[in-house]
Amino acid sequence: MMESALTARDRVGVQDFVLLENHTSEVAFIENLRKRFKENLIYTYIGSVLVSVNPYKELEIYTKQHMERYRGVNFYEVSPHIYAVSDNAYRAMRTERRDQCIMIAGESGAGKTEASKKVLQYYAVTCPASDHVQTVKDRLLQSNPVLEAFGNAKTLRNDNSSRFGKYMDIQFDFKGAPIGGQILNYLLEKSRVVHQSHGERNFHIFYQLIEGGEEDLLRRLGLERNTQQYQYLVKGNCPKVSSINDRSDWKVVRKALSVIGFSDDDVEELLNIIASVLHLGNVQFGAEDGGNAWIAAETQIKYMSRLIGVDVAVLREALTHKKIIAKGEELMSPLNQEQAAAARDALSKAVYGRTFTWLVNKINDSLAFKDDSRLTSKNASVIGLLDIYGFEVFQNNSFEQFCINYCNEKLQQLFIELTLKSEQEEYESEGITWEPVQYFNNKIICDLVEEKFKGIISILDEECLRPGDATDITFLEKLEETLGGHAHFVTHKLADGKTRKVMGREDFRLLHYAGEVNYNVNGFLDKNNDLLFRNLKEVMCMSENKILVQCFDREELTDKKRPETTATQFKNSLAKLMEILMSKEPSYVRCIKPNDAKQSGRFDEVLIRHQVKYLGLMENLRVRRAGFAYRRRYEVFLQRYKSLCPETWPSWNGRLVDGVSTLVKHLGYKPEEYKLGRSKIFIRFPKTLFATEDALEVRKHSIATKLQAGWRGYSQKTKYRKLRNSAIAIQAWWRGILARRRAQRRRQAADTIRKFVKGFIYRHQPRCPENEYFLDYVRYSFLMKLHRSLPKSVLDKSWPTPPPALAEASELLRKMCMQNMVWKYCKSISPEWKHQMEQKMVASEIFKDKKDNYPQSVPKLFVGTRLNGEDINPKVLQTLGNEKMKYAVPVTKYDRKGYKARTRQLLLTGSSAIIVEEAKMKQRIDYNALKGISVSSLSDGIFVLHVPCEDNKQKGDVVLQSDHVIETLTKLAICADKINSININQGSITFTGGPGKEGIIDFIAGSDLIINKAKNGHLSVTAPRLNSR
């Protein structure tokens, strides 16, 4: 609400200027604007009038969410916004069934066009929609870019300045949906077509066509993509503007024309006219010897004649001659060079101006509601949207500024009258005595301009129509003669010495409501006459262009009546506009430009003071504050402030007026500070409201504390009760579940015991219903026990004892389990480990339970060889050649005769065992010749290799000792394939020591290993017994 923002008024100002304490101070007014502008709060009210400051940047306050926030909400319940004005007008139209009007005014660049767009966008989004309604919404929105292209231009003050006044009616059906519209345009600045001031541009459409038009289109129109080639576009020396993208805007305009309903033929004819104006501007005239004008180059006129469909010769003659009717005869009078140029420019302005009027009418046709049977006075309503030029004061003010400021005088007169009228009506409806308000009545200025016979427009028309040599100076002299004594009119001749210093001799000054303005009379007569030679009209009537034929009616040629002057046409259209506005309920938007540089965040106080004055904002504020600064309905006021009085808090049950009366008495309001109406309270001074609002802000803290305490207590009690009830319910539910579970378990236990006992009794009988449960349980118990105690490895031979009934199944399972473990083990071993295991298996087969030191060899891995390449003499390796050595081990050889121990190396190859002494191969024993191998059963390392005695190469059996006897003999048995040829002897081994000679080795168990020659000539080996077999 508006009141809620008062607590931050020191930082952001007040949302309504009516609440300014010093409402008569212009300084306070502007300072409030500044505060809000710095906080990006661009909207402020003066009562129901909205003041808008152009931020010159995008603000995030126009989203769909913002539209919904303002939709259907009371005007003062939300912060000031253009949407609030739009919604207020819309709701008033729906509820009161009365036509509304939103009047937007302000200087060029103040944001009027943007404000009108926001209003249209708000209605397009928030109003009810259907297929037809959506089409109307689209056309209403798309009419803006089209009108901006043809009616807006870049000026020194605004890059997108509207150079015409616009009034748009939006028609709504009984449901509140937009179903049609109509646009009225006022005083298009046609002179801009032929001339622009430095730094300004022609109308946007010319630049959009050249920059954005397709190559084929430009070629057909005879145009180049260079604005510098056209005389009508170079006068302002400003072809490009950084804030305008002509190429992009061209696409928008073409799309908009299609949406509005322009056919391809309409667009083609329209662009032909635009291009022909550019070509016409490039037509240059030369002078003959007699001074008569002639066209210097034919190219441009040929293009133009082709585009508008007229004969070249006829057009050429029309541009260089004028038709005179004397005594009923038509004569062609040649024009001089200056007159021909003036005729050319007059034709350009006439063609463009009438085309613009045709364009507006065409848009109106597309917006018009076609189903008249539904549109009656009972169910149709209208919201008008007036986007019109604001008060203008330039260094040099001409005819256009005179008309614009006259329009603003009329609007100001209407504004004050309607404001006073609405104030008076509200006072009367509430039963409050109306106190007459003194204000400046600018009727005297309006009469000065428009009064019959004596007004400036009448004098101007009279001077334009009178025969003889009428000029702008004679017009000024006539003004001095007629209006010389008027208090609001002065000229250089009538002024005092001080005023003459700032006025030109060709100026006259009007004292407008907004201040003094000097007007230069040069061009007043020409612009008012706006004459076009008759023969030029005839040529335009001959055109094959369908639009020009509609713009130049042949009835003009036969009509003997002189057409109305521009000023009279404007005065009449303005009078009609005043009638329209008077018939509607008005809403006002006043737009302010913060600086001339179009910079965001810059606040030019001098410029803003100038606009505040010209917009009459202080006058409006004074009228609004002449009575009471603040008024609210009883229910709203009581609802907001009832907490400040014990009798009205927390609720009031009596009449609203009694509640408000009790409240203000408790607050100490003095009788002169307020009045009570029929449904509203009126507060005279803002300080009274501020004091009330400050008291509410203080009161809020104590109320908040009480509310918080009460709410916390209530919420905790509620939470406790809820938790307690939930706990009780859960406990009861859980106890029931537990009791049911216990009972069910008892029943199941009894049934199980019963089955078990019965089964145990019948356990030895064949399977029957009485014992099946018991037998199944026994089977299940065994299987579960087996599952828990399965062997963990292949070597684990444990297996639970099965019940008799499962003996066969148990054996099958044991075999399957062992096979599975073996398979898994085999799958998991590497090739190297497999080779190791194969050797271990051979060793086991040979030595297990036969030789004492075998168990100690089991955990020790067999190695590939006990001698590396460095340990064997290279000559031996050289002697071996390509024969691959599979195993080598150091051994001790005992002589056959004296049993002397000698260090040797045993090498195993693929075909033989070789005994080596350093670099010398002492003996080679082929595996084929090896008869057998003998070894004792004790833990010694002695073994004998038996060879045939018949072999001359062999001297006899070989007695060797190895520290790794199990490994060595296993390797030898594998290499020689003599696994079954190894004999393990107990007691003694007999060996052959040569031809006819035998030797005996005696093995004796002892504590230590001792090898020596016994007295009996035998080799005695004493070895400890490590394992009892």
Side-chain angles (χ1 to χ4, degrees), residues 907-922:
L907 308 182
L908 302 181
T909 66
S911 60
S912 59
I914 303 169
I915 299 172
V916 176
E917 178 186 0
E918 295 182 355
K920 190 175 178 182
M921 294 178 60
K922 297 293 288 183

PDB file of all heavy atoms in Angstrom, residues 907-922:
ATOM      1  N   LEU A 907      75.048 -82.298 -14.643  1.00  0.00           N
ATOM      2  CA  LEU A 907      74.244 -81.565 -15.627  1.00  0.00           C
ATOM      3  C   LEU A 907      73.274 -82.525 -16.277  1.00  0.00           C
ATOM      4  O   LEU A 907      73.688 -83.618 -16.718  1.00  0.00           O
ATOM      5  CB  LEU A 907      75.137 -80.919 -16.697  1.00  0.00           C
ATOM      6  CG  LEU A 907      76.312 -80.056 -16.209  1.00  0.00           C
ATOM      7  CD1 LEU A 907      77.057 -79.463 -17.397  1.00  0.00           C
ATOM      8  CD2 LEU A 907      75.823 -78.954 -15.286  1.00  0.00           C
ATOM      9  N   LEU A 908      71.997 -82.147 -16.372  1.00  0.00           N
ATOM     10  CA  LEU A 908      70.972 -82.968 -17.019  1.00  0.00           C
ATOM     11  C   LEU A 908      70.529 -82.278 -18.300  1.00  0.00           C
ATOM     12  O   LEU A 908      70.132 -81.099 -18.295  1.00  0.00           O
ATOM     13  CB  LEU A 908      69.772 -83.157 -16.094  1.00  0.00           C
ATOM     14  CG  LEU A 908      70.030 -83.801 -14.733  1.00  0.00           C
ATOM     15  CD1 LEU A 908      68.718 -83.939 -13.961  1.00  0.00           C
ATOM     16  CD2 LEU A 908      70.684 -85.155 -14.900  1.00  0.00           C
ATOM     17  N   THR A 909      70.646 -83.008 -19.413  1.00  0.00           N
ATOM     18  CA  THR A 909      70.168 -82.481 -20.696  1.00  0.00           C
ATOM     19  C   THR A 909      68.991 -83.319 -21.147  1.00  0.00           C
ATOM     20  O   THR A 909      68.504 -84.186 -20.407  1.00  0.00           O
ATOM     21  CB  THR A 909      71.288 -82.517 -21.739  1.00  0.00           C
ATOM     22  OG1 THR A 909      71.612 -83.890 -22.001  1.00  0.00           O
ATOM     23  CG2 THR A 909      72.524 -81.783 -21.239  1.00  0.00           C
ATOM     24  N   GLY A 910      68.606 -83.137 -22.367  1.00  0.00           N
ATOM     25  CA  GLY A 910      67.455 -83.875 -22.852  1.00  0.00           C
ATOM     26  C   GLY A 910      67.760 -85.342 -23.099  1.00  0.00           C
ATOM     27  O   GLY A 910      66.850 -86.166 -23.082  1.00  0.00           O
ATOM     28  N   SER A 911      69.079 -85.704 -23.241  1.00  0.00           N
ATOM     29  CA  SER A 911      69.385 -87.087 -23.615  1.00  0.00           C
ATOM     30  C   SER A 911      70.335 -87.782 -22.657  1.00  0.00           C
ATOM     31  O   SER A 911      70.477 -89.005 -22.671  1.00  0.00           O
ATOM     32  CB  SER A 911      70.001 -87.105 -25.017  1.00  0.00           C
ATOM     33  OG  SER A 911      71.196 -86.332 -25.032  1.00  0.00           O
ATOM     34  N   SER A 912      71.007 -86.994 -21.774  1.00  0.00           N
ATOM     35  CA  SER A 912      72.018 -87.643 -20.926  1.00  0.00           C
ATOM     36  C   SER A 912      72.266 -86.853 -19.662  1.00  0.00           C
ATOM     37  O   SER A 912      71.925 -85.666 -19.580  1.00  0.00           O
ATOM     38  CB  SER A 912      73.330 -87.805 -21.700  1.00  0.00           C
ATOM     39  OG  SER A 912      73.796 -86.529 -22.107  1.00  0.00           O
ATOM     40  N   ALA A 913      72.912 -87.531 -18.724  1.00  0.00           N
ATOM     41  CA  ALA A 913      73.364 -86.897 -17.489  1.00  0.00           C
ATOM     42  C   ALA A 913      74.878 -86.800 -17.585  1.00  0.00           C
ATOM     43  O   ALA A 913      75.560 -87.791 -17.904  1.00  0.00           O
ATOM     44  CB  ALA A 913      72.951 -87.719 -16.287  1.00  0.00           C
ATOM     45  N   ILE A 914      75.441 -85.632 -17.294  1.00  0.00           N
ATOM     46  CA  ILE A 914      76.854 -85.389 -17.493  1.00  0.00           C
ATOM     47  C   ILE A 914      77.461 -84.987 -16.171  1.00  0.00           C
ATOM     48  O   ILE A 914      76.945 -84.117 -15.476  1.00  0.00           O
ATOM     49  CB  ILE A 914      77.073 -84.286 -18.546  1.00  0.00           C
ATOM     50  CG1 ILE A 914      76.398 -84.665 -19.873  1.00  0.00           C
ATOM     51  CG2 ILE A 914      78.550 -84.025 -18.749  1.00  0.00           C
ATOM     52  CD1 ILE A 914      76.333 -83.533 -20.875  1.00  0.00           C
ATOM     53  N   ILE A 915      78.626 -85.620 -15.860  1.00  0.00           N
ATOM     54  CA  ILE A 915      79.357 -85.264 -14.634  1.00  0.00           C
ATOM     55  C   ILE A 915      80.553 -84.442 -15.061  1.00  0.00           C
ATOM     56  O   ILE A 915      81.339 -84.863 -15.929  1.00  0.00           O
ATOM     57  CB  ILE A 915      79.793 -86.529 -13.884  1.00  0.00           C
ATOM     58  CG1 ILE A 915      78.544 -87.341 -13.470  1.00  0.00           C
ATOM     59  CG2 ILE A 915      80.635 -86.179 -12.663  1.00  0.00           C
ATOM     60  CD1 ILE A 915      78.852 -88.708 -12.902  1.00  0.00           C
ATOM     61  N   VAL A 916      80.686 -83.262 -14.487  1.00  0.00           N
ATOM     62  CA  VAL A 916      81.686 -82.299 -14.935  1.00  0.00           C
ATOM     63  C   VAL A 916      82.620 -81.989 -13.790  1.00  0.00           C
ATOM     64  O   VAL A 916      82.190 -81.800 -12.637  1.00  0.00           O
ATOM     65  CB  VAL A 916      81.019 -81.000 -15.437  1.00  0.00           C
ATOM     66  CG1 VAL A 916      82.071 -79.972 -15.814  1.00  0.00           C
ATOM     67  CG2 VAL A 916      80.110 -81.303 -16.608  1.00  0.00           C
ATOM     68  N   GLU A 917      83.939 -81.952 -14.140  1.00  0.00           N
ATOM     69  CA  GLU A 917      84.953 -81.489 -13.185  1.00  0.00           C
ATOM     70  C   GLU A 917      85.543 -80.218 -13.774  1.00  0.00           C
ATOM     71  O   GLU A 917      86.316 -80.286 -14.732  1.00  0.00           O
ATOM     72  CB  GLU A 917      86.037 -82.536 -12.975  1.00  0.00           C
ATOM     73  CG  GLU A 917      87.126 -82.047 -12.025  1.00  0.00           C
ATOM     74  CD  GLU A 917      88.290 -83.033 -11.918  1.00  0.00           C
ATOM     75  OE1 GLU A 917      88.232 -84.091 -12.589  1.00  0.00           O
ATOM     76  OE2 GLU A 917      89.241 -82.729 -11.191  1.00  0.00           O
ATOM     77  N   GLU A 918      85.178 -79.100 -13.244  1.00  0.00           N
ATOM     78  CA  GLU A 918      85.621 -77.784 -13.719  1.00  0.00           C
ATOM     79  C   GLU A 918      85.375 -77.668 -15.224  1.00  0.00           C
ATOM     80  O   GLU A 918      84.232 -77.653 -15.651  1.00  0.00           O
ATOM     81  CB  GLU A 918      87.079 -77.555 -13.352  1.00  0.00           C
ATOM     82  CG  GLU A 918      87.306 -77.476 -11.852  1.00  0.00           C
ATOM     83  CD  GLU A 918      88.739 -77.201 -11.484  1.00  0.00           C
ATOM     84  OE1 GLU A 918      89.592 -77.165 -12.380  1.00  0.00           O
ATOM     85  OE2 GLU A 918      88.998 -77.015 -10.272  1.00  0.00           O
ATOM     86  N   ALA A 919      86.449 -77.642 -16.070  1.00  0.00           N
ATOM     87  CA  ALA A 919      86.245 -77.438 -17.512  1.00  0.00           C
ATOM     88  C   ALA A 919      86.234 -78.753 -18.269  1.00  0.00           C
ATOM     89  O   ALA A 919      86.251 -78.764 -19.502  1.00  0.00           O
ATOM     90  CB  ALA A 919      87.353 -76.528 -18.060  1.00  0.00           C
ATOM     91  N   LYS A 920      86.145 -79.819 -17.542  1.00  0.00           N
ATOM     92  CA  LYS A 920      86.316 -81.125 -18.169  1.00  0.00           C
ATOM     93  C   LYS A 920      85.090 -81.988 -17.919  1.00  0.00           C
ATOM     94  O   LYS A 920      84.587 -82.070 -16.814  1.00  0.00           O
ATOM     95  CB  LYS A 920      87.556 -81.789 -17.558  1.00  0.00           C
ATOM     96  CG  LYS A 920      87.999 -83.043 -18.256  1.00  0.00           C
ATOM     97  CD  LYS A 920      89.308 -83.493 -17.598  1.00  0.00           C
ATOM     98  CE  LYS A 920      89.807 -84.806 -18.218  1.00  0.00           C
ATOM     99  NZ  LYS A 920      91.048 -85.276 -17.545  1.00  0.00           N
ATOM    100  N   MET A 921      84.598 -82.590 -18.987  1.00  0.00           N
ATOM    101  CA  MET A 921      83.461 -83.492 -18.857  1.00  0.00           C
ATOM    102  C   MET A 921      84.014 -84.874 -18.508  1.00  0.00           C
ATOM    103  O   MET A 921      84.641 -85.559 -19.319  1.00  0.00           O
ATOM    104  CB  MET A 921      82.676 -83.565 -20.175  1.00  0.00           C
ATOM    105  CG  MET A 921      82.004 -82.244 -20.527  1.00  0.00           C
ATOM    106  SD  MET A 921      81.129 -82.280 -22.114  1.00  0.00           S
ATOM    107  CE  MET A 921      79.958 -83.549 -21.808  1.00  0.00           C
ATOM    108  N   LYS A 922      83.822 -85.336 -17.274  1.00  0.00           N
ATOM    109  CA  LYS A 922      84.416 -86.564 -16.788  1.00  0.00           C
ATOM    110  C   LYS A 922      83.648 -87.787 -17.256  1.00  0.00           C
ATOM    111  O   LYS A 922      84.230 -88.829 -17.545  1.00  0.00           O
ATOM    112  CB  LYS A 922      84.468 -86.552 -15.253  1.00  0.00           C
ATOM    113  CG  LYS A 922      85.340 -85.453 -14.668  1.00  0.00           C
ATOM    114  CD  LYS A 922      86.812 -85.682 -15.002  1.00  0.00           C
ATOM    115  CE  LYS A 922      87.361 -86.839 -14.201  1.00  0.00           C
ATOM    116  NZ  LYS A 922      88.827 -87.052 -14.457  1.00  0.00           N
TER     117      LYS A 922
END
